[in-house]
Amino acid sequence: MVTLLLDATRLEVVLSPIERALARRSDPVHVDRSHITKVQLTDDAWTWLRGVPNPGTHIRGTVAMGTWRSAGAADFVVVRRKLPAAVIDLEGDDEFTRLVLTTGHGLALVQALRLEGDDAATEVTEIVASADAGTVPRRARPRSAPRPATA
């Protein structure tokens, strides 16, 4: 899966060597934080694909990576199988209008974008882990009701 790095000014999507080959892209994707308008989490990233890969790779139901072009829009896509994904809408970015990224760290990304970043690029999971424990609410476990005594 992709590595997401975040600092005070930008989000960086770092690809593994295999992902770079399938996406036909040699450089990481850089997006200014100010261009991010919305982040949505989804269980089925395939429904978010629009257009055709140009350049990129598409093996139906297995992998979709690269730049997907449609009428007036270009999305950067890294989708694998039926894994959870983050859909990041962009406004004002020179290269892309949306990122669709399969990641198990979507919730950490949303939380990290809400926090103030520092100048060093840090992986989103580390940003959330280093934040105060009070900023991330935890769900309480439901308690089971006591059973009535039998006679």
Side-chain angles (χ1 to χ4, degrees):
M1 287 192 209
V2 297
T3 301
L4 302 172
L5 302 176
L6 188 67
D7 65 17
T9 60
R10 70 180 180 175
L11 170 67
E12 182 176 349
V13 180
V14 181
L15 304 172
S16 70
I18 292 172
E19 291 167 338
R20 285 195 307 264
L22 291 173
R24 297 187 180 139
R25 184 179 180 92
S26 58
D27 298 327
V29 175
H30 299 279
V31 175
D32 287 340
R33 275 179 95 158
S34 62
H35 294 166
I36 297 173
T37 58
K38 184 171 36 170
V39 179
Q40 301 174 70
L41 304 179
T42 182
D43 288 332
D44 188 7
W46 294 96
T47 60
W48 290 89
L49 298 182
R50 59 184 179 187
V52 294
N54 184 14
T57 301
H58 180 226
I59 301 172
R60 187 175 179 165
T62 304
V63 69
M65 292 188 192
T67 301
W68 285 62
R69 299 193 189 279
S70 61
D75 300 342
F76 184 74
V77 174
V78 177
V79 175
R80 290 188 173 151
R81 303 219 183 254
K82 286 273 192 182
L83 297 174
V87 180
I88 304 168
D89 290 330
L90 307 172
E91 189 172 300
D93 190 69
D94 295 336
E95 195 171 5
F96 300 112
T97 56
R98 186 165 63 182
L99 306 176
V100 182
L101 308 170
T102 299
T103 179
H105 305 296
L107 187 58
L109 172 64
V110 172
Q111 292 171 346
L113 285 170
R114 290 181 180 167
L115 299 173
E116 292 295 323
D118 59 11
D119 294 336
T122 310
E123 194 166 347
V124 295
T125 54
E126 293 176 18
I127 293 171
V128 173
S130 66
D132 295 334
T135 60
V136 181
R138 297 196 179 262
R139 274 179 46 188
R141 281 179 117 180
R143 293 188 176 197
S144 57
R147 293 186 176 185
T150 56

